[in-house]
Structure formats: C-alpha cells, structure tokens
Amino acid sequence: MHIPEAKCKCFIPPFYFKDYIETYLGKDTTHGRYADVTLCTCIHCGTKWLHYLVEYEAFSRSGRWYKGIITDKELPQIDPENAVVYLENLEWYIYGGFWFSSAGQYGKGKMQVDM
C-alpha cells in the first residue's frame, strides 16, 4: 500500500475535530449499523474527507471510524448506504477508534463495520 505524502496535518493522526468543517450526510442503516456519515473539510488545506463512524451500544469499545478523501466530482454520487463501498475502493483510507485501540492508521480494502 502506498502511504501518501502528508500535505497537511489532516493526513497525520491524531486528528482534532476543530480542524474541520463538518456536514452531516446521513445515517447508514445497512445491517443495523446506524453509522453516521459526514463530509469533513479541513480548514487548513481544504481537503474533503468522507468520514464513517459506527458504534454498537451493546458492546463496549466497539466504536470505529474510517475516513478517505473524496472529490467534489465524486460527492454527488455518495449517500450513506454506499459510503462503505466508496471507502473500500480507495487506494487508502485512515481508520481508528476504540475497536482498533488506535487514534488513526492507514489501511485499504475491506472495512470492519459489522459486529
């Protein structure tokens, strides 16, 4: 996997929520996930990130998130239900959360979003 050159601090974990302007895109209810899908735009460089957050209330430390770059051209085709497929098909994404005991690391391919 090719790890991208860090163009901005939005490429380097850990991340700080105040570094982004967030636009809520909706909830992915596929397989009972009820995951929040958000567009996060970096206030420093303008990079747009598709952010996917899922947590299962019945299981402690189940929270996990994924984020990958999305372009303005790709954004109109995204809805909460196809966000996972979009992210899984990227060359790389960043993921983390309690489930992974991580503030963020690079990955690609299949995402662990179901219990």
Side-chain angles (χ1 to χ4, degrees), residues 14 42 65 86 107 109 115:
C42 177
W65 56 263
Y86 175 82
M115 285 303 285

PDB file of all heavy atoms in Angstrom, residues 14 42 65 86 107 109 115:
ATOM      1  N   PRO A  14      -2.871  11.937  15.486  1.00  0.00           N
ATOM      2  CA  PRO A  14      -4.299  12.011  15.799  1.00  0.00           C
ATOM      3  C   PRO A  14      -4.917  13.293  15.226  1.00  0.00           C
ATOM      4  O   PRO A  14      -4.218  14.254  14.942  1.00  0.00           O
ATOM      5  CB  PRO A  14      -4.318  12.036  17.330  1.00  0.00           C
ATOM      6  CG  PRO A  14      -3.036  12.688  17.718  1.00  0.00           C
ATOM      7  CD  PRO A  14      -2.035  12.279  16.659  1.00  0.00           C
ATOM      8  N   CYS A  42     -11.157  20.059   5.708  1.00  0.00           N
ATOM      9  CA  CYS A  42     -10.059  20.605   6.501  1.00  0.00           C
ATOM     10  C   CYS A  42     -10.022  22.123   6.356  1.00  0.00           C
ATOM     11  O   CYS A  42     -10.047  22.648   5.238  1.00  0.00           O
ATOM     12  CB  CYS A  42      -8.743  19.995   6.034  1.00  0.00           C
ATOM     13  SG  CYS A  42      -7.302  20.675   6.893  1.00  0.00           S
ATOM     14  N   TRP A  65     -14.001   4.286  13.255  1.00  0.00           N
ATOM     15  CA  TRP A  65     -14.243   5.254  12.198  1.00  0.00           C
ATOM     16  C   TRP A  65     -13.257   5.038  11.054  1.00  0.00           C
ATOM     17  O   TRP A  65     -12.191   4.442  11.226  1.00  0.00           O
ATOM     18  CB  TRP A  65     -14.151   6.686  12.731  1.00  0.00           C
ATOM     19  CG  TRP A  65     -12.852   7.006  13.401  1.00  0.00           C
ATOM     20  CD1 TRP A  65     -12.595   6.968  14.743  1.00  0.00           C
ATOM     21  CD2 TRP A  65     -11.611   7.368  12.787  1.00  0.00           C
ATOM     22  NE1 TRP A  65     -11.276   7.287  14.987  1.00  0.00           N
ATOM     23  CE2 TRP A  65     -10.652   7.539  13.801  1.00  0.00           C
ATOM     24  CE3 TRP A  65     -11.212   7.569  11.464  1.00  0.00           C
ATOM     25  CZ2 TRP A  65      -9.333   7.906  13.528  1.00  0.00           C
ATOM     26  CZ3 TRP A  65      -9.900   7.936  11.198  1.00  0.00           C
ATOM     27  CH2 TRP A  65      -8.988   8.105  12.229  1.00  0.00           C
ATOM     28  N   TYR A  86     -17.586   2.968  -1.281  1.00  0.00           N
ATOM     29  CA  TYR A  86     -16.681   4.010  -1.773  1.00  0.00           C
ATOM     30  C   TYR A  86     -15.335   3.934  -1.045  1.00  0.00           C
ATOM     31  O   TYR A  86     -14.279   3.896  -1.685  1.00  0.00           O
ATOM     32  CB  TYR A  86     -17.310   5.393  -1.590  1.00  0.00           C
ATOM     33  CG  TYR A  86     -16.354   6.499  -1.966  1.00  0.00           C
ATOM     34  CD1 TYR A  86     -16.192   6.873  -3.298  1.00  0.00           C
ATOM     35  CD2 TYR A  86     -15.580   7.137  -1.007  1.00  0.00           C
ATOM     36  CE1 TYR A  86     -15.288   7.858  -3.652  1.00  0.00           C
ATOM     37  CE2 TYR A  86     -14.666   8.119  -1.355  1.00  0.00           C
ATOM     38  CZ  TYR A  86     -14.530   8.477  -2.677  1.00  0.00           C
ATOM     39  OH  TYR A  86     -13.618   9.438  -3.026  1.00  0.00           O
ATOM     40  N   GLY A 107      -4.902   2.260   6.027  1.00  0.00           N
ATOM     41  CA  GLY A 107      -5.342   0.945   5.603  1.00  0.00           C
ATOM     42  C   GLY A 107      -5.987   1.024   4.239  1.00  0.00           C
ATOM     43  O   GLY A 107      -6.092   2.098   3.639  1.00  0.00           O
ATOM     44  N   GLY A 109      -8.916  -1.502   1.522  1.00  0.00           N
ATOM     45  CA  GLY A 109      -9.705  -2.722   1.319  1.00  0.00           C
ATOM     46  C   GLY A 109     -10.873  -2.831   2.277  1.00  0.00           C
ATOM     47  O   GLY A 109     -11.442  -1.839   2.717  1.00  0.00           O
ATOM     48  N   MET A 115     -20.720  -6.136  13.340  1.00  0.00           N
ATOM     49  CA  MET A 115     -20.353  -6.932  14.523  1.00  0.00           C
ATOM     50  C   MET A 115     -20.465  -8.398  14.202  1.00  0.00           C
ATOM     51  O   MET A 115     -21.086  -8.874  13.391  1.00  0.00           O
ATOM     52  CB  MET A 115     -21.251  -6.604  15.695  1.00  0.00           C
ATOM     53  CG  MET A 115     -20.933  -5.272  16.340  1.00  0.00           C
ATOM     54  SD  MET A 115     -19.271  -5.068  16.934  1.00  0.00           S
ATOM     55  CE  MET A 115     -19.260  -6.029  18.397  1.00  0.00           C
TER      56      MET A 115
END
